[in-house]
Amino acid sequence: TGFHTALQSETAKRKKRPSLRLCCSDNKPTNRKITMKLSIATIAAAAVAIATPANAFAPQCNSVVRSSGLYSTMADSGVPPASSTSSNVEDATLPTKLPSDVGFDYVPLASALASGDLTEADQITRDALIVIAGSKAKGRDFVYWTEVKDIPSTDLATIERLWNQFSGGKFGYSVQKKKWRQSKEDFELFCKKIGWTTTDGEVERKKRWFGASEFTYDVKKAPEGHLPLTSALRGTSLIKKLLTHPVWDNDDWKKEP
C-alpha cells in the first residue's frame, strides 16, 4: 500500500516505447503556431508536420503512435487509468517553440496536454525527466535525487510552461512548490493539500496506483498541484529536489522563448 507513483519507466512489464516521442534534431525556434480543433488525430498530424526525423534519444520515428498499451503499466506501481477526462477547451494554440538543452522533443507532451489527455501527459513527463536527467538515469530508467541538479533549467521551464498553459495555471511543479511552502515543507501536509491522500473509513492514507488509479486526471475536479505525479517509491528526496530546483528561484521560466 502507499504512494507508489514510480518515476521509473515500464521495464519489467512492457517493451520500450520507440514511438513515445518524436525525434527532432532542429531545435531552432520558429514563429509558427498551430490553432486546431482538439482531436487526437488532428493533433497527432500536427505533431508529425512540425517535427523532423533525427536521432535524439529514441529510435528514428516519423509519427506518433497511440495505443492502449503505450501507457498501460508503470513498473510495480500499478496501472494508470486507460484515459482521462477530456478538457472542455474547443480550440487551443499548440506552441512550436519548445526548447530543450538536450534535444528532447516536447511536441507529444504539448499535444497530450492540449487535448486534455492528462494521463498520457503525466506519463510523458516522467519519461522526459529520465531522459533529461542524463545518460545514467536513462540507462536505469529512473532518476536519483542526486541527479536533479543536472536537469537543465531550459527543459524544466518548457515542461512547466506547457502544464501551466493547458491547466489554466492549476498544475505544474511551480504550483506544487507553492503548496510545498504553504505546507511548511511538511510532506504529509503537502500530500494532503494537493490531493495525494484519501481516507478508508477513519484512516487517512496515500492514494494508490494499484489496479484503477486513485488519482484525478481532470482539470476541473483535481485540486491545485495534483499533477504531475512524482515517485516517492525511494523516499521523498526526489520530489523535494525537484521543487527546490534553481529554475523556480524566479519567474524567468514563464518567459516564452
Side-chain angles (χ1 to χ4, degrees):
T1 65
F3 179 54
H4 282 216
T5 57
L7 181 61
Q8 65 193 78
S9 291
E10 303 86 342
T11 55
K13 294 186 179 179
R14 64 182 173 84
K15 297 179 180 180
K16 296 283 187 180
R17 298 192 296 272
S19 59
L20 177 63
R21 56 187 66 86
L22 299 178
C23 307
C24 183
S25 62
D26 184 4
N27 294 315
K28 296 180 180 179
T30 67
N31 292 321
R32 294 181 300 131
K33 288 189 175 180
I34 300 174
T35 301
M36 63 194 73
K37 286 290 182 181
L38 292 179
S39 66
I40 294 298
T42 303
I43 292 174
V48 173
I50 295 170
T52 55
N55 49 5
F57 292 98
Q60 282 194 353
C61 53
N62 295 316
S63 64
V64 178
V65 178
R66 309 294 185 194
S67 71
S68 59
L70 265 180
Y71 305 100
S72 60
T73 61
M74 188 179 174
D76 295 324
S77 299
V79 182
S83 62
S84 54
T85 302
S86 179
S87 68
N88 291 327
V89 178
E90 295 183 355
D91 295 277
T93 300
L94 188 67
T96 57
K97 295 180 182 179
L98 302 171
S100 169
D101 283 355
V102 298
F104 192 87
D105 180 17
Y106 290 104
V107 171
L109 176 59
S111 300
L113 286 167
S115 68
D117 192 347
L118 301 183
T119 306
E120 183 175 357
D122 193 41
Q123 183 63 60
I124 294 174
T125 299
R126 283 187 293 275
D127 291 334
L129 288 178
I130 292 171
V131 174
I132 65 179
S135 58
K136 290 183 178 179
K138 186 170 181 288
R140 77 173 81 88
D141 285 326
F142 63 87
V143 181
Y144 281 139
W145 65 270
T146 54
E147 295 168 323
V148 172
K149 66 181 186 301
D150 300 321
I151 296 178
S153 293
T154 298
D155 288 76
L156 282 179
T158 297
I159 292 171
E160 189 67 8
R161 281 193 301 273
L162 289 173
W163 275 100
N164 194 266
Q165 175 183 349
F166 293 111
S167 69
K170 194 170 187 179
F171 298 146
Y173 296 116
S174 64
V175 181
Q176 291 176 352
K177 180 172 183 176
K178 180 179 69 175
K179 298 297 181 181
W180 177 246
R181 286 177 171 174
Q182 291 174 354
S183 303
K184 308 297 183 184
E185 300 186 0
D186 181 316
F187 188 72
E188 299 302 317
L189 182 57
F190 168 73
C191 289
K192 189 173 182 177
K193 276 184 175 292
I194 63 175
W196 286 1
T197 61
T198 189
T199 54
D200 284 331
E202 296 181 356
V203 178
E204 185 178 72
R205 61 170 175 80
K206 303 292 190 304
K207 287 186 175 179
R208 300 190 182 105
W209 204 337
F210 295 101
S213 174
E214 295 180 329
F215 294 92
T216 305
Y217 293 87
D218 187 315
V219 172
K220 289 187 175 181
K221 296 179 180 179
E224 285 189 354
H226 191 68
L227 297 173
L229 303 180
T230 302
S231 171
L233 185 63
R234 295 172 178 82
T236 61
S237 295
L238 177 59
I239 187 169
K240 289 177 181 177
K241 286 297 182 180
L242 279 171
L243 299 183
T244 56
H245 190 282
V247 70
W248 317 127
D249 289 347
N250 54 56
D251 290 336
D252 287 350
W253 64 266
K254 296 180 179 179
K255 298 178 180 178
E256 292 293 335

